[in-house]
Amino acid sequence: MNRKLSFSAGCRLELTLLVFAVLWGWLFHRPPLGDLHWSLTAALIGVVAAIPPFLLFLWTLKSRLRVWSRHKELMEAFLQPLFGNWSIMQLTLISVCAGISEEALFRGAIQGSLADHVGLGVALIMASLLFGAFHLITWTYAIIAAFIGAYLGLLWIWTGNLLAPIVTHAVYDIAALVYFFNVYDRR
């Protein structure tokens, strides 16, 4: 796969999600980034909140449980052709784009507008399930993503600031991708 083309396609996908977030927000009168406010506290909470999912990621890579071994094999087969030749800068940029775009769509637009209509708990569950479905690379990955989506949604509810889950999402993606492609020993 052409390295430049795949990076460009990844960026376009993430920006398309941002467009969907804006359209959803317009349709449901809920600006997807309406709860985004600069705050050093929220940014630091976001960085610290990236640690538990990253530790879970490291555990899944080292686990000898069959479900994680099979998941790891499928992830290697799927992710290596997509991201394997990307530079650390490209992995960082796509991670930041994913943090902003996916949180704007799944938390700011979908969870926020659903909360206005069906309540906070149902909105959290629905947005998390959609987030998991969006990440349906494998069933295991989709389930993990749904739980991480719930974690990010709870983080947003707790802080009241979309900056915290955006930072958590971006920092987690950067750490996981850079580790997986530059540090992790596949033997």
Side-chain angles (χ1 to χ4, degrees):
M1 187 177 273
N2 181 313
R3 178 178 172 174
K4 203 172 214 177
L5 179 63
S6 62
F7 176 71
S8 173
C11 290
R12 282 194 308 272
L13 171 66
E14 294 300 338
L15 292 175
T16 300
L17 294 179
L18 191 55
V19 170
F20 279 125
V22 170
L23 290 173
W24 184 287
W26 177 76
L27 284 171
F28 293 97
H29 309 288
R30 177 87 163 145
L33 297 174
D35 289 335
L36 175 63
H37 314 285
W38 170 250
S39 160
L40 182 59
T41 301
L44 291 173
I45 288 170
V47 170
V48 171
I51 296 170
F54 182 68
L55 292 175
L56 174 65
F57 172 73
L58 293 178
W59 179 80
T60 64
L61 292 177
K62 304 233 185 271
S63 175
R64 296 195 188 274
L65 294 174
R66 181 167 158 66
V67 66
W68 297 122
S69 296
R70 180 71 181 130
H71 170 69
K72 184 174 38 178
E73 291 169 9
L74 290 169
M75 294 302 294
E76 288 174 357
F78 180 81
L79 292 178
Q80 188 65 41
L82 288 177
F83 302 113
N85 294 324
W86 288 18
S87 69
I88 291 175
M89 181 58 73
Q90 287 172 311
L91 294 172
T92 299
L93 288 173
I94 199 69
S95 297
V96 170
C97 287
I100 294 167
S101 299
E102 293 178 25
E103 294 311 304
L105 177 61
F106 293 103
R107 253 54 68 199
I110 294 173
Q111 183 178 326
S113 66
L114 288 174
D116 296 340
H117 294 88
V118 298
L120 208 51
V122 173
L124 175 66
I125 292 167
M126 292 174 71
S128 300
L129 290 174
L130 287 171
F131 186 73
F134 178 75
H135 291 86
L136 185 58
I137 297 168
T138 69
W139 282 106
T140 305
Y141 191 78
I143 292 166
I144 292 168
F147 278 106
I148 290 176
Y151 177 74
L152 294 167
L154 288 169
L155 185 59
W156 178 39
I157 292 167
W158 177 59
T159 63
N161 190 342
L162 201 55
L163 182 64
I166 286 172
V167 170
T168 300
H169 190 148
V171 168
Y172 167 78
D173 281 1
I174 292 165
L177 290 172
V178 169
Y179 180 84
F180 192 73
F181 292 112
N182 295 283
V183 178
Y184 175 62
D185 183 7
R186 287 170 179 70
R187 291 178 284 160

